[in-house]
Amino acid sequence: MEEQQKRNIVIIGGGIIGCTTAYFLTRHPKFNPNLHTITLLEATAIAAGASGKAGGLLALWAYPQSLVPLSYRLHKALAEEHNGAERWGYRRVGCGSITATVTRDDLLARTKTNLTPSSPVKGEQNGNGVATNSQNNDALPIQSSVAGDPAQGDKESDWQKLPKQDEDATTLLKPSVLPQDLDWFDSTVVQHYQEMGQPGATETAQVHPFHFTTSIAALAQQKGVDFRIGAKVTRLKYNSEKTKVIGLQYEDRNSGEVVDLDNVTDVVVSAGPWTGKILPRTKIEGLRAHSVVYEVDVTPYAVFTDIMLPTDFVPEHRARKGQKRKHKRNVDPEVYARPFGEVYACGEPDPSIPLPETADLVQCDEDQCDDLTAYMGTVSPILGSAPIKAKQACYLPRHMRFGTERDPVIGQSYVKGLWIASGHTCWGIQNGPGTGCLMAELILDGEARSADITELEPKKYKV
């Protein structure tokens, strides 16, 4: 029998990747709490970034395909083992794409029937994620002839899609009628509906990202993982030849103390978009995206939209500022009915604001959130009148090479004991369990056994 060596494992990042890595390490057959120490360092809070502000869609048509099937299966297994339906809202959902054309007459008719998209905001967050009690009366689309100021967001642009679907995924869309229970969309403005996958047998599910991530963290902590919150990593330590990681240094943001962790055998950098701050050679960077959360209970569907707006459409909040419409006529928000009485909608990515030092410093542009509620209100009167629980922003971790987005990076770098698991873009929640499982195998078995992820190895990119 192979004699096991002591391992002092440190995981950087309390998002979904770091938490699932901690979880699967403690569930690995070779894990021995007498020999293995696991410490997770998080600068802000568990699920403070994209892992707490994502949509939570799970799909077999996600990418990369080397990782997706394993992770999709593990989501189901985790839910069955830990009562995920109750704890983090695991469930199957319908998923499709709609094409809608909204005319000026549609908007006027809706106003006359009092189905206006104006509603109070419950638990709205300001730019620092702090709850406020402001009112959201900005969602009613109106006609504006006021000339806008280009310096105030007047410039039109094409809508930029989030990278949720690749070309292969798009080919899986099959014609279908609008499902009868998808009753929270205005059927009079929807021209087409396409179901993802084979009709009646969609391979789509979902979780509530915040509840899933925090639950997995709690399960890892129950098995002995030492979670240190407010620990911002400032430096990695290597041997004299820089061929092996031997420790790290972090700042305790609560006390201001600088803490050294020595005699470390393994460091897993899973800090989402902040991975590139710690290891610039990974080429992991952040892309800001906004979203809103409605307080409303509707039938479980995830819907990708393509909305043609009237030529004179201007959201009220922009008209009040003397601005013209922000986009050309087509916009494509994504919207997901979620468990626990929520609906989540996300808009286009925003590359204008660089990644801040920590997740609690992420700024939210309320105008972009109000754009989103205005667009959704044109096709869904139910959402247009629903209270809004949160307006928020987060940064998606993207692996960029020569201006092109690549697959995530998972595996050991050229430095012994230095592991990387990051760059999952929109699919971090979907691919979190698979990544965590494979990271545990790589560290404790020395190889990935559950899936072939050779194409995702950091060494491929000389990291």
Side-chain angles (χ1 to χ4, degrees):
M1 181 177 179
E2 179 184 355
E3 183 179 353
Q4 288 187 277
Q5 301 295 317
K6 287 188 176 182
R7 305 291 283 267
N8 183 7
I9 304 167
V10 178
I11 301 169
I12 303 173
I16 187 59
I17 306 301
C19 291
T20 52
T21 298
Y23 171 90
F24 280 101
L25 280 168
T26 62
R27 268 66 180 181
H28 193 281
K30 291 182 180 177
F31 176 72
N32 183 342
N34 297 318
L35 291 175
H36 302 140
T37 302
I38 304 173
T39 305
L40 187 145
L41 307 178
E42 165 53 45
T44 304
I46 300 302
S51 295
K53 297 179 174 68
L57 183 66
L58 315 176
L60 280 172
W61 44 263
Y63 55 85
Q65 273 300 304
S66 59
L67 186 58
V68 166
L70 168 66
S71 204
Y72 193 88
R73 292 196 305 270
L74 287 173
H75 266 291
K76 182 178 180 181
L78 288 169
E80 290 174 349
E81 182 177 356
H82 299 295
N83 192 21
E86 295 291 332
R87 294 187 68 169
W88 56 77
Y90 176 85
R91 65 181 183 181
R92 292 291 299 272
V93 293
C95 182
S97 172
I98 69 164
T99 301
T101 300
V102 180
T103 68
R104 185 66 186 165
D105 288 343
D106 293 325
L107 299 178
L108 290 174
R110 189 169 300 158
T111 303
K112 289 178 181 178
T113 57
N114 295 321
L115 293 176
T116 61
S118 299
S119 58
V121 176
K122 292 190 177 182
E124 177 183 325
Q125 295 181 348
N126 64 16
N128 291 318
V130 179
T132 67
N133 293 317
S134 62
Q135 298 292 309
N136 175 27
N137 296 313
D138 300 336
L140 179 61
I142 66 169
Q143 181 175 0
S144 174
S145 59
V146 180
D149 179 1
Q152 298 295 322
D154 180 32
K155 184 178 180 181
E156 292 180 19
S157 62
D158 289 323
W159 179 274
Q160 301 297 313
K161 291 185 178 181
L162 288 166
K164 188 74 80 177
Q165 298 183 66
D166 59 13
E167 291 182 3
D168 290 338
T170 304
T171 64
L172 295 175
L173 293 171
K174 303 296 182 182
S176 173
V177 297
L178 189 67
Q180 186 174 0
D181 59 342
L182 185 51
D183 54 3
W184 43 285
F185 275 83
D186 182 353
S187 61
T188 65
V189 300
V190 176
Q191 282 78 48
H192 304 286
Y193 176 85
Q194 294 176 298
E195 185 179 28
M196 183 66 71
Q198 296 299 319
T202 55
E203 286 293 339
T204 313
Q206 70 178 165
V207 297
H208 190 292
F210 180 80
H211 293 302
F212 178 61
T213 305
T214 54
S215 294
I216 292 298
L219 291 166
Q221 191 172 31
Q222 289 171 10
K223 289 290 188 177
V225 176
D226 178 10
F227 280 75
R228 302 188 186 184
I229 306 302
K232 180 186 174 185
V233 173
T234 55
R235 183 166 69 94
L236 299 181
K237 299 180 181 181
Y238 306 94
N239 62 1
S240 57
E241 295 82 14
K242 293 190 176 180
T243 57
K244 185 180 186 305
V245 67
I246 59 174
L248 55 79
Q249 189 176 82
Y250 71 86
E251 173 194 352
D252 186 327
R253 299 179 68 204
N254 300 311
S255 67
E257 178 186 4
V258 175
V259 180
D260 288 285
L261 292 182
D262 297 315
N263 301 315
V264 172
T265 60
D266 302 271
V267 173
V268 180
V269 184
S270 53
W274 287 274
T275 299
K277 297 272 190 181
I278 299 169
L279 296 171
R281 291 183 63 184
T282 61
K283 304 297 183 183
I284 305 294
E285 59 184 50
L287 178 66
R288 189 172 72 158
H290 285 81
S291 57
V292 295
V293 181
Y294 299 87
E295 185 176 353
V296 61
D297 192 7
V298 298
T299 51
Y301 277 90
V303 182
F304 298 88
T305 72
D306 181 1
I307 305 169
M308 176 72 77
L309 297 169
T311 55
D312 58 358
F313 176 89
V314 182
E316 185 178 343
H317 67 282
R318 292 196 178 274
R320 286 201 305 263
K321 297 178 181 180
Q323 299 173 7
K324 295 182 180 179
R325 63 181 185 268
K326 181 172 181 284
H327 294 289
K328 297 180 181 179
R329 294 181 65 188
N330 273 86
V331 293
D332 320 73
E334 301 170 13
V335 59
Y336 313 121
R338 293 208 303 203
F340 314 126
E342 291 183 359
V343 171
Y344 170 97
C346 58
E348 64 179 342
D350 169 25
S352 63
I353 306 298
L355 182 72
E357 284 297 310
T358 50
D360 53 336
L361 299 178
V362 172
Q363 294 294 311
C364 175
D365 181 348
E366 287 202 27
D367 279 345
Q368 294 201 41
C369 291
D370 292 339
D371 286 339
L372 187 54
T373 58
Y375 300 149
M376 290 309 307
T378 67
V379 293
S380 175
I382 289 177
L383 294 186
S385 60
I388 295 176
K389 295 177 66 174
K391 300 177 182 180
Q392 57 195 18
C394 63
Y395 283 78
L396 307 176
R398 300 197 302 169
H399 175 209
M400 301 296 292
R401 297 277 167 177
F402 306 108
T404 302
E405 185 174 295
R406 306 287 185 176
D407 287 336
V409 180
I410 302 172
Q412 185 169 220
S413 72
Y414 275 111
V415 177
K416 185 178 180 181
L418 181 59
W419 308 85
I420 303 165
S422 189
H424 293 70
T425 60
C426 291
W427 292 112
I429 298 298
Q430 150 65 41
N431 291 327
T435 302
C437 172
L438 293 165
M439 286 303 302
E441 293 175 352
L442 286 166
I443 294 171
L444 296 180
D445 291 327
E447 62 179 340
R449 295 181 173 178
S450 296
D452 180 2
I453 54 168
T454 306
E455 64 179 25
L456 308 180
E457 290 181 354
K459 293 178 182 178
K460 175 182 177 180
Y461 301 101
K462 296 180 170 53
V463 177

